[in-house]
Amino acid sequence: MSPVESRDGPVHRTAPERRTTPTAPRPAMTVIEGIHADHGATFEELGDRRVVADYGRPERTHRAVRNVVGVTEHVFGVLVVEGEDRVEFVDNAVSNRVPDEDGEGCYALLLDPSGKIRTDMYVFNAAAGDRLLVFLPPGEAEEIAEDWRGKTFIQDVTITDATDDFGVFGVYGPQATEKIASVLTNASSPDQHLSFVRGSMGDVGVTVIRDDGLTGEEGYLVVCGADAAGEAFDTLANRGQAAAPFGHRTWRTLTLEAGTPLFETELHERLPNDLGIRNALDFEKGCYVGQEVVSRVENRGTPSKRLVGLVPGTVPDSGAAVFADDAAVGEVTRAAESPSREEPLALALVDADAATRDSLAVRVDGTEVSAAIEGLPFVEGLDRSARLPAYPGD
């Protein structure tokens, strides 16, 4: 059975032993860290997990994904929500409408009372297994599970942190559909964003989810039980059409080129209206925490800030100040040398008035460097990110 189909879920594995320091526990390993290490991977920390940074030569790997297809391991926190009232409960908590049909998903936000983003998430309705699966950024699942359990009251809802029960892989590139088709049996590749099917890859039961365009290319998430993750990764990398393994450094440059805001760099503790992520908001649904603020800014017609693309002469640091003339108007959220364009690119959150200019300046090593404002995405692919900033009146 695929992990989304099975009501009982995959078998729990014994958690790996964690070495601790006087200040904090060692981040948990990826599901298949040993396999990544055998491929020459180096690692970095993301939330409470260790993720692959790269396998060496990330710029070359980036171009392989952009031109053909690549595979990466994602490290979502995963909640399983069960019970008769599961859809209503989660729908009342988040910013978007939770689908009530099996095989469908949505992208949503959990906000604080001031309307700022606590976390983003994907919610998938696995009604065939009588449950919802909620995919969260690493490090967020335990806190959200505890928070939600305290709010169930008399509702028939059970919330389980199942982060260690699943392996999740992403397949991206202009030939991603061909890659999935070459190894998936008993199902056809899903074609609508955030829809999913259940099938097999070799002897492994999998759920295949159509990605919402985050890299600007065709993309899929492949979900399996943690005990089968090594076999699934080998299938995705080596069987059928080969896919180049890549790490989080390449993920950041791919999503930067696609104009996709990410939780850890753009979204956390910011207003969704300022970021223009309208695909995460349903302005017609009932009240949820933070909804009043989001609706008030929407009705005003113009948010106070906008997320823009910049092309600076030099790569600035995240948090670098952005200037219009002599006035500070915002900050860089993420920047890198683009492997596709072979020049520095950046995302910046700036005052709405400044976003209408042709260029701004970015402070790099104490010097203000000119940066042209450019429409997003920076690089056009076969898909468009559903998170591309969009604002009223655009």
Side-chain angles (χ1 to χ4, degrees):
M1 282 188 176
S2 76
V4 173
E5 183 178 18
S6 168
R7 183 170 184 169
D8 295 328
V11 176
H12 288 256
R13 300 187 306 160
T14 302
E17 182 179 352
R18 299 183 182 182
R19 294 179 296 174
T20 60
T21 69
T23 56
R26 182 179 184 270
M29 296 184 294
T30 73
V31 176
I32 56 168
E33 181 160 342
I35 294 175
H36 294 311
D38 289 343
H39 281 75
T42 59
F43 298 89
E44 63 186 40
E45 296 180 11
L46 183 66
D48 64 348
R49 310 287 286 192
R50 272 163 55 87
V51 300
V52 174
D54 60 60
Y55 298 91
R57 305 185 70 178
E59 295 81 7
R60 181 176 179 179
T61 305
H62 176 111
R63 286 189 284 270
V65 179
R66 187 64 77 196
N67 295 319
V68 189
V69 64
V71 58
T72 190
E73 183 186 3
H74 287 298
V75 287
F76 292 107
V78 182
L79 300 182
V80 175
V81 185
E82 299 171 293
E84 189 69 26
D85 300 322
R86 62 190 181 278
V87 173
E88 179 184 9
F89 176 83
V90 177
D91 187 77
N92 287 338
V94 302
S95 64
N96 211 347
R97 185 76 63 184
V98 174
D100 54 12
E101 296 293 332
D102 179 69
E104 298 180 356
C106 75
Y107 177 63
L109 308 171
L110 192 66
L111 307 179
D112 68 18
S114 66
K116 293 183 178 180
I117 298 169
R118 288 180 59 189
T119 188
D120 65 344
M121 67 184 70
Y122 290 98
V123 183
F124 298 103
N125 191 326
D130 295 329
R131 59 185 182 169
L132 301 177
L133 284 185
V134 181
F135 286 13
L136 294 152
E140 301 299 314
E142 183 177 355
E143 179 182 347
I144 300 306
E146 183 177 355
D147 180 33
W148 282 1
R149 289 185 193 118
K151 296 176 179 177
T152 57
F153 303 116
I154 62 171
Q155 290 176 291
D156 180 14
V157 176
T158 302
I159 300 158
T160 304
D161 184 346
T163 297
D164 293 330
D165 295 344
F166 296 96
V168 184
F169 302 97
V171 178
Y172 304 97
Q175 296 183 24
T177 299
E178 288 85 345
K179 169 65 211 186
I180 293 295
S182 73
V183 293
L184 178 66
T185 58
N186 304 317
S188 300
S189 303
D191 56 4
Q192 298 296 318
H193 282 180
L194 304 185
S195 64
F196 63 85
V197 299
R198 304 171 180 91
S200 301
M201 292 183 178
D203 295 328
V204 178
V206 298
T207 297
V208 178
I209 304 164
R210 181 64 187 253
D211 161 83
D212 48 348
L214 301 189
T215 66
E217 303 291 352
E218 296 174 358
Y220 299 87
L221 296 178
V222 177
V223 186
C224 65
D227 56 350
E231 184 177 348
F233 180 74
D234 178 67
T235 296
L236 292 169
N238 300 313
R239 301 180 189 174
Q241 180 171 347
F246 68 94
H248 199 67
R249 181 174 172 184
T250 295
W251 175 253
R252 289 194 296 266
T253 55
L254 288 166
T255 53
L256 172 62
E257 291 179 350
T260 299
L262 300 178
F263 173 71
E264 63 268 20
T265 48
E266 282 80 37
L267 304 184
H268 189 218
E269 297 185 343
R270 292 188 170 113
L271 285 173
N273 310 72
D274 291 347
L275 299 164
I277 48 171
R278 302 177 68 81
N279 66 309
L281 303 172
D282 184 332
F283 293 102
E284 303 300 323
K285 67 173 291 187
C287 187
Y288 53 88
V289 172
Q291 183 262 348
E292 182 178 349
V293 176
V294 169
S295 294
R296 184 166 64 246
V297 176
E298 172 71 9
N299 292 334
R300 191 173 66 202
T302 303
S304 61
K305 297 181 181 296
R306 288 195 174 210
L307 191 67
V308 299
L310 298 179
V311 184
T314 304
V315 177
D317 292 332
S318 295
V322 179
F323 295 88
D325 299 324
D326 295 326
V329 295
E331 65 177 5
V332 171
T333 61
R334 183 169 27 138
E337 185 79 17
S338 164
S340 298
R341 292 183 36 165
E342 298 183 339
E343 64 180 336
L345 300 176
L347 294 175
L349 191 65
V350 302
D351 294 346
D353 290 344
T356 63
R357 298 168 65 105
D358 293 330
S359 65
L360 297 167
V362 178
R363 180 165 291 166
V364 180
D365 295 330
T367 301
E368 292 183 18
V369 176
S370 179
I373 295 179
E374 183 171 315
L376 298 172
F378 292 113
V379 176
E380 294 280 357
L382 294 184
D383 204 348
R384 287 178 66 84
S385 174
R387 298 190 203 174
L388 275 173
Y391 298 94
D394 283 0

